[in-house]
Amino acid sequence: MKLSIVIPCYNEQHTIASLVAAVNAAPYPDKEIIIVDDCSRDGTHAELEKLKDQVSQIVYHKVNQGKGAALRAGCAAALADGAGAVITLDGDGQHDPAEIPAFLRA
């Protein structure tokens, strides 16, 4: 089952690269990462450009629409890609990506 991991972010310049690395290292074989940048005002956009080869898709909002809109955009992108399951992680690294398999078993 393909797992789509949607990460909405806003002004996460200092945390997004380490979060992407942790998600890529998470023990789940068939996964994709979709990041939605909700019009960040810090250096998040530049950080995401550096991560293009480490994620499946980056969606950029032209105006800040809030976390709910970022989640909807990310889930729509995941479903368009044929996701079997979708989970979300906050861009600040609040949750440990290593726990993804345990979460899916629950």
Side-chain angles (χ1 to χ4, degrees):
M1 170 178 61
K2 180 179 173 183
L3 173 65
S4 294
I5 302 163
V6 174
I7 304 173
C9 67
Y10 178 75
N11 290 347
E12 302 295 349
Q13 171 185 5
H14 300 292
T15 59
I16 197 66
S18 61
L19 178 61
V20 168
V23 172
N24 279 324
Y28 193 88
D30 189 14
K31 64 183 177 266
E32 70 174 349
I33 300 172
I34 299 171
I35 299 176
V36 181
D37 180 17
D38 195 26
C39 195
S40 293
R41 299 291 181 208
D42 64 352
T44 299
H45 185 97
E47 286 299 312
L48 290 175
E49 289 297 308
K50 295 177 194 174
L51 299 172
K52 277 186 167 183
D53 61 337
Q54 299 174 44
V55 301
S56 300
Q57 188 174 6
I58 303 171
V59 177
Y60 293 103
H61 283 178
K62 294 182 192 246
V63 296
N64 183 272
Q65 301 175 48
K67 183 176 180 180
L71 288 171
R72 285 189 298 277
C75 288
L79 294 173
D81 282 349
V86 178
I87 64 170
T88 65
L89 294 175
D90 285 341
D92 62 3
Q94 178 180 1
H95 303 286
D96 184 358
E99 296 175 0
I100 289 172
F103 173 76
L104 292 172
R105 284 191 301 271

